[in-house]
């Protein structure tokens, strides 16, 4: 009898050069060691780790944010879905995906078109400008204006969620402008989230958000 090894294909897009990085992962290799997907440009990598409790932790570079995001998914989801995507918490952009190889390739292609469209709307001509070394924090007042507009709009529509009861109509939120973003905090439960304001791309991506979740 031949045992079929659990395996999946994982992928992410390098924030610096725009290349799609894809690799097959099987359960035995994952349990033996951390798996790293490295871009050939040498400026980004995605790590996949078995947490030993039936879960998988992924650290994914983000096309929108300056820092990577950490996701934890179940082992069954990681190896069992035909296609599963991981979005940036601050935008609708999918920054990683896993599943059947051809479906993952298709998602990479779809995501590239979406990203190029967003870059064009943001006035960004190439991937080097997305996370360029010369990029400074809040260089354009318009970025802060966009982020504050979306925060106020989500608050007015009741689409900011925290640890308080959703039926609590007395929830109030503070928006604090920091060097690296806008920190939204619930006055009651203290849950908060930092919205990065380090690029036009991030601001325009956040513009498409339909909710904001505080932790």
């Amino acid at each position: 009898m031949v045992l079929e090894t659990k395996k999946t294909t994982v992928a992410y897009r390098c924030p610096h050069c725009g290349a799609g990085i894809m690799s097959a992962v099987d359960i035995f290799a994952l349990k033996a060691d951390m798996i790293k997907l490295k871009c050939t440009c040498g400026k980004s990598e995605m790590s996949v780790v078995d947490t030993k409790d039936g879960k998988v932790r992924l650290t994914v570079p983000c096309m929108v944010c300056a820092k990577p995001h950490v996701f934890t998914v179940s082992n069954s989801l990681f190896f069992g879905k035909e296609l599963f995507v991981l979005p940036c918490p601050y935008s609708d952009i999918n920054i990683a995906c896993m599943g059947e190889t051809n479906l993952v390739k298709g998602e990479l292609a779809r995501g590239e078109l979406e990203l190029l469209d967003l870059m064009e709307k943001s006035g960004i001509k190439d991937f080097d400008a997305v996370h360029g070394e010369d990029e400074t924090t809040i260089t354009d007042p318009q970025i802060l204006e966009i982020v504050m507009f979306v925060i106020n709009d989500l608050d007015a529509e009741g689409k900011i969620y925290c640890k308080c009861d959703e039926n609590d109509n007395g929830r109030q939120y503070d928006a604090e402008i920091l060097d690296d973003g806008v920190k939204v905090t619930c006055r009651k439960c203290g849950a908060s989230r930092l919205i990065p304001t380090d690029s036009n791309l991030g601001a325009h991506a956040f513009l498409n958000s339909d909710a904001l979740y505080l932790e």
Side-chain angles (χ1 to χ4, degrees):
M1 182 177 67
V2 178
L3 294 177
E4 185 177 350
T5 303
K6 283 186 179 180
K7 59 183 178 180
T8 190
T9 297
V10 295
Y12 80 99
R13 187 169 301 283
C14 176
H16 299 277
C17 71
I21 314 303
M22 187 170 66
S23 177
V25 176
D26 70 66
I27 192 169
F28 296 118
L30 182 60
K31 287 186 176 298
D33 196 8
M34 173 190 293
I35 292 175
K36 292 184 177 181
L37 284 69
K38 296 183 179 181
C39 182
T40 53
C41 77
K43 294 183 179 180
S44 73
E45 67 176 32
M46 171 183 172
S47 66
V48 186
V49 182
D50 175 31
T51 64
K52 309 301 181 184
D53 61 352
K55 296 180 181 179
V56 178
R57 184 172 66 249
L58 304 97
T59 303
V60 186
C62 184
M63 296 299 305
V64 176
C65 306
K67 295 181 180 180
H69 300 298
V70 179
F71 303 92
T72 301
V73 300
S74 67
N75 189 293
S76 59
L77 186 152
F78 183 76
F79 287 106
K81 288 284 187 178
E82 288 191 349
L83 181 67
F84 187 76
V85 296
L86 298 172
C88 164
Y90 306 104
S91 70
D92 291 331
I93 292 181
N94 296 326
I95 59 174
C97 57
M98 64 200 75
E100 194 272 327
T101 302
N102 288 330
L103 294 179
V104 169
K105 288 180 179 179
E107 174 58 27
L108 278 178
R110 187 205 64 79
E112 181 176 8
L113 292 176
E114 179 185 27
L115 183 62
L116 290 173
D117 180 62
L118 180 58
M119 289 171 62
E120 182 180 354
K121 292 178 181 178
S122 305
I124 297 175
K125 297 181 179 180
D126 54 50
F127 285 100
D128 288 334
V130 176
H131 291 296
E133 294 180 358
D134 59 345
E135 188 177 8
T136 55
T137 306
I138 311 185
T139 56
D140 187 346
Q142 184 184 19
I143 298 175
L144 182 59
E145 183 178 334
I146 292 173
V147 171
M148 290 301 298
F149 170 81
V150 176
I151 291 173
N152 289 328
D153 196 41
L154 292 175
D155 187 19
E157 294 181 3
K159 293 184 178 179
I160 298 180
Y161 302 98
C162 58
K163 297 177 182 178
C164 296
D165 189 318
E166 291 187 14
N167 297 319
D168 184 354
N169 296 323
R171 290 176 294 172
Q172 291 184 313
Y173 303 101
D174 292 323
E176 180 183 4
I177 300 174
L178 305 175
D179 290 339
D180 54 350
V182 179
K183 185 178 182 181
V184 181
T185 306
C186 174
R187 294 180 184 178
K188 282 193 173 183
C189 68
S192 66
R193 182 176 287 278
L194 181 70
I195 313 302
T197 54
D198 56 357
S199 72
N200 274 315
L201 183 64
H204 281 272
F206 184 60
L207 185 61
N208 295 322
S209 297
D210 55 7
L212 177 61
Y213 295 90
L214 311 184
E215 299 177 350

